[in-house]
Amino acid sequence: MSVGTSGTQSALRAHDVRSAPAPRHAELGIDPDDLPDGLVIADERGRVICFNAAAVRITATPAAEALGHPLDRALPLEDLEGRRWWQLTDPYGGLAIRNGQPERNLLLPGGREVLVRARYLRVRPTGPVRRVVVSLRDTEARRRTERNHAELIAIVAHELRSPLTSVKGFTATLLAKWERFTDDQKKLMLETVDADADRVTRLIAELLDISRIDSGRLEVRRQPVDIGAAVGRHIQAYVAAGQAADRFLLRIGQPLPDLWADPDKVDQVLSNLLENAVRHGEGTVTIDVGPAPSPREGEDACTSVTVSDEGPGIPEESMNRVFTRFWRGSKRGGTGLGLYIVKGIVEAHGGTITVGRAPEGGARFRFTLPVGTPAYLL
């Protein structure tokens, strides 16, 4: 790479002397190999004078086979229709007012896709091209994003289909044969429609939360929150739904600091963690609430909530994937988005969440929320 690096630096210096003061990066001594993207530079004759390490990795072409060779040989690119890109763009003989090519998907030999952008450097406007600077980026990150989006669409479509089919079926049946059903039958069908409508509403709310988390627009409306009472309400709801009261153990450490948080979002976090413990865990579900030291020196204590169960727990190899999208563990069902949203909500409050193994062997989720007292109350 020494040949390419020295050639690049001298080429850039020659260009800078004619057109502009020396750039700041020249003073810092940045090596092309330090750049995260592929960099290929050709001189006024179309010969490659720089082929950095990222370009070697992306193209799988050794630098020695590229340096000094014509650009179209060192970087034989084709568009998605199989046409040779350098013949189409003709950087040295094309329009004199053209200063480059926008980023686009092109193909390397073997059909591998790369994102390519080119810049034409001229000594003066409409003058001859002195350098062609090409940047290369691997498309793998974009492909992962596209796969995630496709998987999200597939999961959402699947999750929506079941309740909507139920809603459609029951409403159509009631409209067509209303007189044939007893009041109890009608009530049962309407209760099912109501429950399925709630399921659709929850799914749409999850999608909106993901959109806000990914874009950094998740709003937190802080109010005083009694975290112990909030946990108690969730436990009472499970008992009212048929769970045994002795399955839950709530322990509250004192004194609890005054917590300012978004009560709706705290309820969302508690609901998800308790549901996971009840559905996927076994034995007693233990919830510990108490004060915790702040990770930042000089700040007030945080509030800590730990939810643990006595089930099989989460395999060690899956611990680092629990809070990613679509993680659903060994048991299928659900969208696999709940814990991803929980992590986003906790972090939007400035808190942290971790997962581990409980002393009884089950899963243990622990999240902490800073006190977050509004500035006007300090």
Side-chain angles (χ1 to χ4, degrees):
M1 283 305 301
S2 60
V3 174
T5 301
S6 61
T8 303
Q9 291 171 340
S10 62
L12 290 177
R13 280 198 297 269
H15 173 71
D16 292 335
V17 167
R18 295 184 178 95
S19 61
R24 179 70 183 272
H25 68 261
E27 300 173 8
L28 298 177
I30 293 178
D31 191 307
D33 286 347
D34 295 333
L35 299 176
D37 295 336
L39 176 66
V40 180
I41 302 178
D43 62 14
E44 64 274 8
R45 298 178 301 133
R47 301 278 176 174
V48 174
I49 59 175
C50 174
F51 203 83
N52 74 345
V56 171
R57 172 179 54 81
I58 293 170
T59 65
T61 300
E65 294 182 13
L67 293 170
H69 291 87
L71 184 57
D72 59 348
R73 274 185 51 196
L75 203 59
L77 297 167
E78 294 182 352
D79 66 11
L80 300 183
E81 297 177 6
R83 298 173 297 184
R84 296 184 180 277
W85 194 57
W86 296 116
Q87 291 181 4
L88 286 175
T89 57
D90 192 12
Y92 294 94
L95 294 174
I97 59 172
R98 187 176 296 162
N99 58 12
Q101 295 291 332
E103 187 174 69
R104 65 188 65 193
N105 278 37
L106 297 174
L107 300 175
L108 289 167
R112 182 178 179 184
E113 277 191 47
V114 288
L115 293 171
V116 181
R117 184 177 182 180
R119 178 79 174 173
Y120 307 156
L121 302 182
R122 306 174 188 272
V123 174
R124 63 183 185 280
T126 73
V129 172
R130 301 303 300 270
R131 300 288 183 268
V132 174
V133 181
V134 182
S135 68
L136 306 173
R137 289 198 298 142
D138 202 330
T139 61
E140 185 56 34
R142 178 177 288 187
R143 286 184 177 278
R144 282 197 300 270
T145 301
E146 291 173 350
R147 284 196 297 268
N148 283 342
H149 288 165
E151 188 173 359
L152 179 60
I153 291 170
I155 288 175
V156 169
H158 176 76
E159 292 293 322
L160 284 174
R161 181 184 301 167
S162 177
L164 289 178
T165 300
S166 171
V167 168
K168 177 62 178 175
F170 279 121
T171 54
T173 301
L174 285 170
L175 288 171
K177 303 176 181 179
W178 180 267
E179 298 82 4
R180 300 186 185 183
F181 297 106
T182 66
D183 288 345
D184 287 342
Q185 289 174 324
K186 292 173 183 176
K187 182 180 178 182
L188 178 60
M189 285 191 278
L190 288 174
E191 286 175 345
T192 304
V193 168
D194 183 62
D196 285 334
D198 286 342
R199 183 175 164 190
V200 172
T201 301
R202 285 195 302 271
L203 179 59
I204 293 172
E206 283 186 348
L207 295 176
L208 291 173
D209 284 337
I210 286 178
S211 173
R212 294 184 185 112
I213 290 169
D214 288 347
S215 62
R217 294 185 291 107
L218 187 66
E219 294 183 6
V220 175
R221 297 180 173 89
R222 297 184 185 273
Q223 303 174 32
V225 174
D226 186 338
I227 191 72
V231 175
R233 287 195 302 272
H234 284 277
I235 292 175
Q236 290 172 5
Y238 276 107
V239 173
Q243 291 288 333
D246 60 1
R247 188 178 180 188
F248 300 92
L249 174 60
L250 172 59
R251 299 185 296 210
I252 301 179
Q254 298 292 344
L256 282 178
D258 294 331
L259 175 64
W260 285 75
D262 189 317
D264 292 335
K265 289 183 170 52
V266 169
D267 273 340
Q268 194 173 349
V269 171
L270 293 174
S271 175
N272 195 289
L273 296 182
L274 286 171
E275 183 181 0
N276 279 346
V278 171
R279 289 181 56 189
H280 305 299
E282 298 172 4
T284 302
V285 176
T286 303
I287 306 100
D288 291 293
V289 181
S294 172
R296 302 177 182 87
E297 187 176 351
E299 292 189 5
D300 294 332
C302 296
T303 297
S304 168
V305 179
T306 304
V307 179
S308 56
D309 62 72
E310 299 174 347
I314 299 170
E316 193 70 31
E317 63 272 13
S318 298
M319 290 286 188
N320 62 341
R321 295 188 290 113
V322 166
F323 297 110
T324 59
R325 290 185 185 185
F326 313 125
W327 186 85
R328 287 176 281 184
S330 58
K331 297 182 179 180
R332 308 300 290 176
T335 60
L337 301 173
L339 290 175
Y340 177 82
I341 293 172
V342 163
K343 183 173 185 288
I345 290 173
V346 170
E347 291 181 348
H349 280 81
T352 60
I353 184 167
T354 57
V355 61
R357 186 168 293 280
E360 298 79 10
R364 179 178 64 185
F365 289 89
R366 181 176 185 268
F367 70 91
T368 60
L369 298 176
V371 173
T373 306
Y376 65 86
L377 293 178
L378 297 176

